[in-house]
Amino acid sequence: MKPSVVYSQSLKHNLSQYGIEVPLKDTRAELTLEHLLSIPQLGAVKEKWFHEFMGEPYSVERLNQCHDQVYVDMITNHPEMALIKSFELVDDKGNYNRYNPKAATSPLKEMVNSHLLHVQALIESSNRALQTGFSYLLGGGMHHAMSFGGRGFCFVNDIVITLTELLRAGKINSAWVIDVDCHKGDGTAELTKDNDLIQTLSIHMKDGWPLDDQNASAPQFTPSTVDIPIGVGEEGLYLSELERGLNRLRDNSRLPGLCIVVGGADPYEKDILKSAELLKLSEDQMLARDMLVFNFLKQLGVPQSYCIAGGYGHDVWKIYANFLEKVLLQSYL
């Protein structure tokens, strides 16, 4: 295994420049990379593990492989409307929600290409994982986007798009998604519910968004292959429940050609997003989480492709950095 980290400045989409007031900091990727490069053993061999993404945005026309044509047409013809719905920038009463267009310095529609760059970056990073065994994209992870539209800050589902591309190209014959973000991977579950080639695991808050809808038949309740809800105050059970769930995934499906890990940092106790506050893991627990998934897949010989997913505030970069530091030092010392 020769792990890779994939990133470039082109993947930055500073939400504040569009007037969006969500505490998703672009600095988390940059601070993670800066930390890794500051470690002498890793900085000296940067060319072995760091790969700059140089690709073009994923084609809008190909989005209908996963998203329905009505949504693709909205993206094409009314991109601002698609983005407003995805980021929930207008509430039920028509008022702006976490959105101040007067403060924007760039047109909202420019975010479309920014998100499509993340899709292409995950495709390229996943291809690298097939070659080297492990690749970590400092971007991506839009797991709430469903067939009919974006939601929860997720514009299109780069995870399912990537796996669809790899399956159709014959590069893999099956796949897993392991989602350790604080919120249920509901979009991924909805998009893959009828696809036996993609098996999904989601460990997430038992209560709160997106499972706070009173309608139990709402699409966000679509079951994953393995769902692991963690209730308030049950952080002490998190690692044992995750291990049990991983074993269920292994025992009930064939080994895949690739696993995409949705590595959200928002279960971290210092994450500041209000909708993530019902799950609070310590820094040590977060590293143990990531190493548990990593070692599980490594022992099975399954290539691992990671995306950064959710993580809010100034401290979450440490979660990505801690994990990558350990993985890279194991491989390049």
Side-chain angles (χ1 to χ4, degrees):
M1 178 182 287
K2 292 297 181 183
S4 301
V5 176
V6 177
Y7 182 64
S8 81
Q9 289 292 313
S10 68
L11 296 174
K12 291 185 69 172
H13 48 220
N14 184 357
L15 298 183
S16 63
Q17 77 185 74
Y18 304 106
I20 298 175
E21 299 169 342
V22 174
L24 187 67
K25 306 293 184 182
D26 275 334
T27 52
R28 59 190 179 141
E30 294 178 340
L31 289 172
T32 297
L33 189 56
E34 287 175 11
H35 173 78
L36 297 174
L37 292 171
S38 74
I39 300 168
Q41 303 97 310
L42 297 180
V45 293
K46 174 186 175 182
E47 71 283 354
K48 293 185 177 180
W49 57 267
F50 177 69
H51 299 274
E52 186 172 6
F53 169 68
M54 303 292 287
E56 296 295 322
Y58 187 75
S59 168
V60 173
E61 290 74 20
R62 294 185 66 81
L63 289 174
N64 61 12
Q65 295 186 96
C66 293
H67 296 285
D68 67 35
Q69 193 60 50
V70 173
Y71 183 49
V72 176
D73 289 343
M74 181 189 292
I75 292 172
T76 302
N77 300 316
H78 305 286
E80 295 90 349
M81 183 185 300
L83 287 160
I84 284 171
K85 289 187 175 182
S86 297
F87 280 82
E88 300 162 10
L89 302 180
V90 176
D91 64 22
D92 294 338
K93 297 179 180 179
N95 300 314
Y96 287 143
N97 177 43
R98 295 178 297 213
Y99 184 41
N100 181 9
K102 292 182 179 179
T105 58
S106 300
L108 186 60
K109 65 182 180 181
E110 289 184 3
M111 283 187 70
V112 172
N113 272 351
S114 179
H115 284 85
L116 295 177
L117 278 170
H118 281 254
V119 176
Q120 188 62 38
L122 185 57
I123 292 171
E124 295 190 15
S125 185
S126 295
N127 273 301
R128 188 170 293 279
L130 292 176
Q131 298 167 4
T132 67
F134 177 102
S135 187
Y136 199 112
L137 173 64
L138 291 172
M142 296 178 276
H143 63 154
H144 296 307
M146 296 188 173
S147 59
F148 52 84
R151 59 195 302 273
F153 315 152
C154 298
F155 185 57
V156 292
N157 197 302
D158 55 326
I159 302 150
V160 180
I161 293 169
T162 293
L163 294 178
T164 300
E165 289 282 3
L166 295 177
L167 286 162
R168 291 189 175 183
K171 296 183 177 182
I172 57 174
N173 56 19
S174 63
W176 287 349
V177 178
I178 294 176
D179 191 331
V180 294
D181 191 273
C182 189
H183 307 95
K184 175 177 165 62
D186 54 348
T188 304
E190 188 266 343
L191 278 163
T192 61
K193 62 184 179 181
D194 298 319
N195 189 340
D196 293 337
L197 299 180
I198 302 175
Q199 305 296 310
T200 59
L201 178 150
S202 177
I203 182 168
H204 50 263
M205 298 182 303
K206 180 179 180 180
D207 302 304
W209 195 91
L211 304 177
D212 51 0
D213 195 301
Q214 298 303 308
N215 178 10
S217 63
Q220 58 263 44
F221 290 97
T222 303
S224 311
T225 307
V226 176
D227 276 313
I228 311 169
I230 302 294
V232 174
E234 295 181 349
E235 286 84 356
L237 302 174
Y238 185 96
L239 293 173
S240 60
E241 288 298 306
L242 175 56
E243 183 174 20
R244 186 176 294 111
L246 292 171
N247 289 334
R248 283 174 57 198
L249 183 66
R250 178 200 62 202
D251 294 343
N252 293 309
S253 61
R254 60 177 170 170
L255 288 185
L258 178 72
C259 179
I260 291 183
V261 181
V262 185
D266 46 3
Y268 183 34
E269 61 187 356
K270 293 185 179 180
D271 186 280
I272 66 171
L273 189 71
K274 185 171 179 58
S275 74
E277 65 186 7
L278 299 182
L279 182 56
K280 295 183 178 296
L281 301 181
S282 69
E283 192 170 338
D284 287 344
Q285 286 176 308
M286 292 292 286
L287 180 57
R289 174 202 76 171
D290 293 338
M291 293 307 300
L292 175 60
V293 173
F294 171 78
N295 287 321
F296 170 78
L297 293 170
K298 183 179 180 181
Q299 289 167 7
L300 294 175
V302 175
Q304 310 179 39
S305 173
Y306 286 71
C307 48
I308 200 168
Y312 304 86
H314 296 287
D315 296 309
V316 295
W317 69 270
K318 298 174 186 177
I319 302 307
Y320 311 113
N322 290 344
F323 172 54
L324 284 169
E325 176 182 346
K326 191 156 189 175
V327 169
L328 292 173
L329 285 175
Q330 283 181 359
S331 301
Y332 291 106
L333 268 183

